[in-house]
Amino acid sequence: MSATSASNPDGSSHNARSIEELDELIALARMITYARYAAQDVELVDATHWLDLALKAVTREIGDGAEMGLPDLALSVDAINLHKH
């Protein structure tokens, strides 16, 4: 996933990110978390490593939106981070 989106094709600023886009990023983070736990359960070390990196990138993107004054999304980011540990 790139930092640009269909609604923001020039990739200008994260401020243009909508609530719907952030909701999609949160859903993606949940899916990656699920896949990471599945890979960890069957001891796929390499897959777990790459899924960790993907999850960090997505949570960083979510964090950018949460810092823009979207407190309800910040709670979701915290919930995702709790599930990772």
Side-chain angles (χ1 to χ4, degrees), residues 15-60:
N15 293 337
R17 186 171 286 148
S18 70
I19 298 295
E20 291 81 20
E21 290 171 324
L22 289 170
D23 286 342
E24 289 176 7
L25 285 170
I26 291 169
L28 178 60
R30 288 181 181 137
M31 286 188 284
I32 293 170
T33 300
Y34 176 82
R36 184 190 171 281
Y37 282 124
Q40 195 172 27
D41 285 345
V42 293
E43 299 178 4
L44 297 174
V45 177
D46 290 337
T48 302
H49 169 74
W50 291 112
L51 289 165
D52 277 336
L53 293 177
L55 187 58
K56 286 178 186 177
V58 172
T59 55
R60 186 172 36 250

Side-chain angles (χ1 to χ4, degrees), residues 26 30 66 70-82:
I26 291 169
R30 288 181 181 137
L70 302 171
D72 54 327
L73 291 176
L75 294 175
S76 296
V77 172
D78 291 338
I80 290 169
N81 289 332
L82 287 175

